[in-house]
Amino acid sequence: QEQLVESGGGLVQAGGSLRLSCAASGDTFSIYGMGWFRQAPGKEREFVAAISWNHDSTIYADSVKGRFTISRDNAKSTLYLQMNDLKPEDTAVYYCAASRPFRISQLPGEYHSWGQGTQVTVSS
């Protein structure tokens, strides 16, 4: 299983941008579908975005479409989430996760490895 470590969270004003990174250890990052999820206080963890192992496919939650972009660099075993036009409702702990080989999914149950999370706070 992959060890995943997120970074790049912080405090930003509404309308601002942040770029999250997720560094993976191990030798098999390139075959896994990868995703970002988030969890706000008092709410369930929700899907944000996912990308296929070969970059060909991406999925976004409706709430972030047009504002967030998921990408990956398999040579660096790193997943990214570029977040633009941030809103206070984007405030949450953001988690990256690794799915099954050669799969892309928005279902948390399809993911087997999770990072520890990084806090994103958007002020109004």
Side-chain angles (χ1 to χ4, degrees), residues 105-122:
S105 175
Q106 55 186 326
L107 301 176
E110 295 283 322
Y111 289 79
H112 60 80
S113 296
W114 294 80
Q116 83 290 346
T118 186
Q119 176 71 48
V120 171
T121 302
V122 185

Side-chain angles (χ1 to χ4, degrees), residues 4 6 22 33-37 79 95-99 111 113-115:
L4 305 173
E6 302 95 336
C22 172
M34 297 294 297
W36 288 98
F37 292 77
L79 176 73
Y95 300 89
C96 67
S99 182
Y111 289 79
S113 296
W114 294 80

